[in-house]
Amino acid sequence: MFLSVFEMFKVGIGPSSSHTMGPMVAAARFLEALRASPFHFHGLRASLHGSLAFTGVGHATDRATILGLAGFLPDSYDHDKAEAALAAIRETRMIEVPGLGALAFDPARDLVFDYGPALPGHANGMILRGLDAQGDVILQETYYSIGGGFVLTEAELQAGEAGKAKVAVPYPFETAAQMLEMAARSGLSVAQMKRANELVVRPAAELDRGLARIWEVMNACIDRGMQAEGILPGGLKVRRRARGIHQALIAERGLNLTPPHTINDWMSLYAMAVNEENAAGGQVVTAPTNGAAGVVPAVIRYWLDHVPGASAAKVGDFLLTAAAIGGLCKHNASISGAECGCQAEVGSAAAMAAAGLCAVMGGTPMQVENAAEIALEHHLGMTCDPVKGLVQVPCIERNGLGAIKAVSAASLALRGDGVHLVSLDACIETMRQTGHDMHEKYKETSLGGLAVNVPNC
C-alpha cells in the first residue's frame, strides 16, 4: 500500500474535500472522457446522490460540479474567474468546455439533486452524462467521492486494490504493526521510511519543495483566518471568531494572571482560523479532508510558536509521519464523514497530528503509534451532523478540540515507553466497524444530531 504524502495533503478549496473538491475533480475527469470519445457532444447533465444530494447545497457541490465541467480544478482555482464563468453559464445556459466548445447546460434543469437511495458504491455518488443533439445520453460515468478529494469511477471502486497500479517501495507497510516491525528491523523512524517510499516516485528536491509548499499554504491559511472578520456564507449567520480571539490573546501576553490553560485557546485559534477560511471557500490543504483541515496545521503552528526547541526544518518530518498514519486510516477504514462519521475526519486528523508532533519531539516509532492511537481512540463514535449541511457548526470548533486532543495524546505517549494495551490497528478497525454500524442520518446527511436540533436560520 503506497499512498503519497501529496495525496493525503492536497491544496484545494473549501468548504469540503468530498463535496466540493471531489465533484470538481470528477467533472474534470469526465471532460477527459468526453475528449477521448469519438462522439460529438451537444450538452451535459449531472445528478448528485446520497450525501452529495442531502448536503450538497451547503457544501457548494452544485457550484463545484458546474465549475469542474467548465474546466476548473481545485489546486489552480481562481475565484474571480469562477464567478465570471458561473454568471455566464446561468445567463446563457451553456458551458464553454475547454477542447469541446460550448455545450448546453441549464443549471436549473441539468443539475439534479436526487434525494432517493444512495448509489450502491458509496454515500457520495454522482452521475455525469454527455448528450447528443436530441438530448439523448451517449456517454455516462458514475463517480464516487470517497473523502479527502479522492475520486473513483464505479469500475475503479469495484476493482478495489486489484485495479491499482502497484508501486514497489522499500517499506510497504499496510498496518501499524507492519510499520513498527519495519522500523525496528531497519532502525529508521516513520518519517524516514515514508521518505524512502516517496523517493521511489520523485527526486528528493521535488519532495522537499512539495512539503515546503504544503506547509506554506497551511500557514498562510492560518494567517488569513486570523485577520479576516465578518459573517460566514450559507445562512446560519455564523460570525468569524478567530480574529477576535487572536487579538485578545495578544493583549493578554505577558500578564501574570493568564491561566496556563490559555495555551488551549492558541491551539483552537489556529485550527478555527483554518476552518473559517474553509467555510468561506478559501484555499486550504486537505489534512486529510477539508472538514478536518485545521487540526494538523494548528498543531504544527503550536509546536513552532510555543514549544522550545521547535525547528521549521522538521516540518517535513511532521508531515511525512502524519501522512503515514493518515494512509493507514484511509486504507484500513475511511477518512470520509459520509462513510464513517466525523471520527473518520477529525479523528483521523487528530491521530495524524499527534503522531507528527510526537515524532518531531523525539518520540520513538512505538511512541508515535501510541500517540496516534490515543488521539483516534477518543474520537471513536463521533458523528457527522453539520447544521444546514454547512461545514461550520460543529465543524469549526471541533477542529480546535481535535488539535487539543492531538497535543494531549502526543504528550501522554511521550511520557511512556510506547507499550500500551490498545493498538492503533485495533483502533482503526474499531472506527471502521463503528462507521459501518452508524445510522446514515449521522453520516453527513444533516438528517440527525445537531442538524435537526439546532435552528437552521
Side-chain angles (χ1 to χ4, degrees):
M1 188 271 300
F2 174 69
L3 194 64
S4 173
V5 63
F6 301 118
E7 292 179 277
M8 293 306 301
F9 298 116
K10 294 188 284 288
V11 177
I13 57 167
S16 172
S17 50
S18 59
H19 288 57
T20 313
M21 289 175 59
M24 190 178 288
V25 170
R29 291 190 61 182
F30 188 62
L31 294 186
E32 294 175 2
L34 293 178
R35 296 186 189 103
S37 170
F39 301 117
H40 183 64
F41 298 94
H42 290 262
L44 299 169
R45 191 175 298 154
S47 59
L48 306 173
H49 302 261
S51 179
L52 292 186
F54 284 108
T55 61
V57 173
H59 287 85
T61 307
D62 47 350
R63 173 191 174 94
T65 302
I66 296 169
L67 289 173
L69 292 172
F72 287 80
L73 288 169
D75 60 352
S76 57
Y77 179 80
D78 185 300
H79 177 76
D80 292 337
K81 289 181 180 179
E83 289 298 317
L86 285 171
I89 292 167
R90 294 190 185 103
E91 181 179 350
T92 65
R93 299 176 186 174
M94 303 287 288
I95 291 183
E96 286 289 340
V97 181
L100 295 169
L103 301 181
F105 185 86
D106 181 356
R109 180 193 65 198
D110 296 320
L111 181 61
V112 177
F113 288 82
D114 188 325
Y115 299 107
L119 298 179
H122 191 277
N124 295 331
M126 60 191 298
I127 301 175
L128 300 178
R129 302 173 175 91
L131 313 177
D132 64 13
Q134 288 72 45
D136 295 325
V137 177
I138 53 176
L139 184 66
Q140 175 175 308
E141 185 62 84
T142 298
Y143 296 93
Y144 293 104
S145 180
I146 61 172
F150 291 88
V151 172
L152 297 175
T153 65
E154 188 168 38
E156 289 167 345
L157 188 72
Q158 291 175 352
E161 294 295 325
K164 294 181 180 179
K166 303 300 182 188
V167 178
V169 295
Y171 303 100
F173 51 85
E174 297 189 8
T175 66
Q178 291 175 356
M179 179 183 76
L180 292 178
E181 190 276 329
M182 290 179 188
R185 191 173 66 242
S186 67
L188 299 177
S189 68
V190 174
Q192 288 170 327
M193 291 192 296
K194 182 65 175 167
R195 176 177 287 273
N197 289 347
E198 294 286 341
L199 292 178
V200 172
V201 296
R202 59 181 52 84
E206 181 182 331
L207 173 61
D208 291 334
R209 282 195 303 269
L211 292 171
R213 167 65 173 158
I214 292 300
W215 172 236
E216 177 187 5
V217 175
M218 286 179 169
N219 200 33
C221 187
I222 293 174
D223 288 339
R224 289 196 312 275
M226 292 193 301
Q227 294 168 5
E229 53 187 343
I231 304 296
L232 293 171
L236 287 180
K237 299 181 181 179
V238 173
R239 183 176 298 278
R240 286 178 179 256
R241 289 183 287 164
R243 177 183 171 88
I245 294 172
H246 185 226
Q247 291 176 335
L249 287 170
I250 292 296
E252 292 171 5
R253 270 183 168 171
L255 299 179
N256 292 331
L257 296 178
T258 303
H261 65 249
T262 297
I263 193 62
N264 290 337
D265 297 341
W266 282 99
M267 297 179 214
S268 291
L269 162 66
Y270 300 141
M272 291 172 63
V274 171
N275 285 86
E276 287 178 355
E277 281 295 290
N278 178 63
Q283 187 182 60
V284 297
V285 176
T286 62
T289 66
N290 282 30
V295 179
V296 168
V299 174
I300 296 177
R301 183 69 173 258
Y302 156 76
W303 172 62
L304 289 174
D305 287 3
H306 302 274
V307 178
S311 169
K314 292 184 178 180
V315 169
D317 286 345
F318 190 117
L319 293 172
L320 288 167
T321 305
I325 299 303
L328 295 177
C329 292
K330 183 181 186 302
H331 179 67
N332 295 305
S334 176
I335 57 171
S336 168
E339 190 171 26
C340 283
C342 197
Q343 58 173 356
E345 296 206 28
V346 171
S348 295
M352 294 165 64
L357 180 61
C358 184
V360 297
M361 292 188 68
T364 66
M366 289 179 63
Q367 289 172 317
V368 165
E369 184 264 358
N370 188 13
E373 185 281 324
I374 294 171
L376 181 58
E377 179 181 344
H378 298 289
H379 283 89
L380 290 177
M382 184 175 283
T383 60
C384 182
D385 51 353
V387 177
K388 204 178 179 180
L390 300 170
V391 191
Q392 297 179 16
V393 179
C395 319
I396 295 172
E397 287 181 353
R398 187 166 286 176
N399 275 258
L401 273 293
I404 292 170
K405 285 186 182 182
V407 173
S408 296
S411 183
L412 281 175
L414 287 166
R415 294 291 184 184
D417 59 5
V419 177
H420 56 110
L421 181 62
V422 180
S423 70
L424 177 58
D425 288 329
C427 197
I428 292 174
E429 172 59 15
T430 302
M431 177 171 72
R432 186 194 67 79
Q433 294 176 8
T434 303
H436 179 270
D437 293 341
M438 190 180 289
H439 195 287
E440 294 302 315
K441 69 182 181 180
Y442 297 117
K443 293 194 283 188
E444 209 167 358
T445 59
S446 288
L447 297 176
L450 288 175
V452 299
N453 287 299
V454 175
N456 287 346
C457 59

